[in-house]
Amino acid sequence: AQATHAIESAQNFPDFTPPEGFMRLVVGPLKSNQSAHDLWCTKMVPRTLLDAPECSAWKTRNPFVMATRPFLMTGIGRTGTSFVVNVLTRAGLDVNHDNRRDCSRTKECPGLDGAVSWPHAFSDQAFGTGTGERDCPRPHWAWPSAAVSFRVVVHLVREPLKTIDSRWNKGFISGSFRDVTLCNTAARLSEPLGTIENLVGLTKLGITPQTGATLALTLRHWTLWNLFVEAHASWRLRIEDFDASAARILCERAVGAHRAGGCPPLSQFNSSMASESTSANHGHTVHAAASEVSWVRLARLDPLHAPLAQRMAIRYGYTVKRRDLHPGATDVESKAEKCGFAKDGRWGCTIAKKRRGK
């Protein structure tokens, strides 16, 4: 059956190659484009909200999908999603944020032009087979997505330490943020990692083992969620680079061909950007007295995911000071990132030795 699907797909989409992030993180150097196509359509696409017409032969698309939107911008929370939504909507695009309440300002939900939302990176459809089948419901406040798909996914990122600090201080460990992460990814802590902080003398900062564990879990959330998005996104946008020109380019690349009248002129994006404060925090974050989020502290808490995060930071165009670099982050010649789904369906990643000669 797989061979039949592969032949049919190769005939209909002869030039298709999965995104670069998928090829590097999931497939690796030994897979051919054809086998990568199989893996993309059978393993990756069903866990996303991508429309993916190149996978029609596998029938992996949710049969209940009734509408397709131009783009989904996603990553993790605290990366400027509200700011991006405000700029795009003020410029005239029909785009909404992640919650049901925000849908009231769009014609439909999600908006006809797209959505900017971190909880919708993963599909909430059931996965697995037989007795092992399960699903990962979205937070109760997120808009339902069972009947919608997106033509492209755009990866939104922000400087890692600032994002992790903001997400941690928001109280990530509690409620729906934690639940949706633990359901979709291999982020669960196998030991009370916060006790490590006591051993290295950080209790003098008023940091308890409990807060250490929440920070370790926030690191894993940042790492695994972003790597999943990276593996199926068409391109990446740093919030630090988001200006009127970037907003117009986003519209042209993802929306223009599917929007009556095309994209608004650059002047509208300039006006929209000028009316939105770039320092707005929307009243969400309650900062801790002494957060002390640093690469050194993250490496002590989790020596597996911290170097992964540093590799990502550098790849995303951010600076990690030489003195803070973990050896696992710098050994790119003999070691590579490897991601995939475990038997329980959770997405996990590690740094592994490259195969000899590759």
Side-chain angles (χ1 to χ4, degrees), residues 47 123-127 134-138 179-180 183-184:
R47 297 296 300 277
S123 167
D124 61 355
Q125 298 302 304
F127 54 89
R134 63 189 179 92
D135 59 13
C136 295
R138 301 203 194 289
D179 294 342
V180 72
C183 188
N184 281 295

Side-chain angles (χ1 to χ4, degrees), residues 59-313:
K59 295 180 173 59
T60 53
R61 177 175 171 172
N62 179 1
F64 299 105
V65 167
M66 302 296 291
T68 300
R69 300 289 187 256
F71 81 94
L72 169 67
M73 181 180 288
T74 187
I76 76 163
R78 320 308 302 158
T79 54
T81 54
S82 295
F83 172 69
V84 172
V85 168
N86 289 343
V87 169
L88 295 180
T89 55
R90 283 198 178 107
L93 296 188
D94 188 32
V95 175
N96 66 273
H97 200 209
D98 52 22
N99 57 71
R100 296 171 186 263
R101 182 182 65 253
D102 192 67
C103 290
S104 63
R105 68 179 183 180
T106 56
K107 296 177 182 177
E108 295 185 28
C109 189
L112 294 177
D113 292 323
V116 183
S117 170
W118 76 263
H120 295 85
F122 282 86
S123 167
D124 61 355
Q125 298 302 304
F127 54 89
T129 56
T131 57
E133 184 172 298
R134 63 189 179 92
D135 59 13
C136 295
R138 301 203 194 289
H140 64 88
W141 41 262
W143 43 265
S145 61
V148 68
S149 63
F150 296 89
R151 291 186 176 89
V152 297
V153 168
V154 182
H155 187 194
L156 181 65
V157 297
R158 177 191 176 199
E159 199 283 324
L161 292 182
K162 291 181 180 178
T163 309
I164 292 169
D165 178 69
S166 184
R167 175 75 280 157
W168 182 47
N169 283 317
K170 170 61 179 167
F172 158 76
I173 193 65
S174 63
S176 55
F177 291 94
R178 177 181 139 238
D179 294 342
V180 72
T181 294
L182 295 182
C183 188
N184 281 295
T185 70
R188 186 175 298 278
L189 304 180
S190 58
E191 59 179 286
L193 292 179
T195 58
I196 297 175
E197 295 199 304
N198 292 340
L199 298 177
V200 297
L202 294 180
T203 51
K204 64 182 180 181
L205 297 175
I207 300 168
T208 67
Q210 180 183 9
T211 58
T214 64
L215 179 55
L217 190 53
T218 305
L219 167 65
R220 293 190 179 192
H221 168 68
W222 185 91
T223 304
L224 297 177
W225 206 269
N226 272 310
L227 284 171
F228 177 76
V229 177
E230 182 179 347
H232 73 279
S234 295
W235 72 88
R236 182 166 50 248
L237 174 65
R238 303 193 323 168
I239 191 63
E240 295 87 351
D241 301 328
F242 186 72
D243 57 12
S245 294
R248 181 66 161 74
I249 291 172
L250 169 67
C251 182
E252 290 176 339
R253 291 184 65 180
V255 182
H258 310 286
R259 190 173 191 272
C263 292
L266 180 60
S267 58
Q268 284 188 219
F269 289 101
N270 280 321
S271 297
S272 178
M273 183 69 69
S275 63
E276 178 69 11
S277 171
T278 58
S279 61
N281 194 33
H282 301 278
H284 287 322
T285 303
V286 179
H287 290 284
S291 59
E292 293 296 321
V293 174
S294 66
W295 286 119
V296 173
R297 183 181 181 192
L298 293 176
R300 287 170 173 168
L301 278 172
D302 192 337
L304 171 62
H305 290 84
L308 265 174
Q310 288 189 342
R311 281 176 172 241
M312 296 161 65

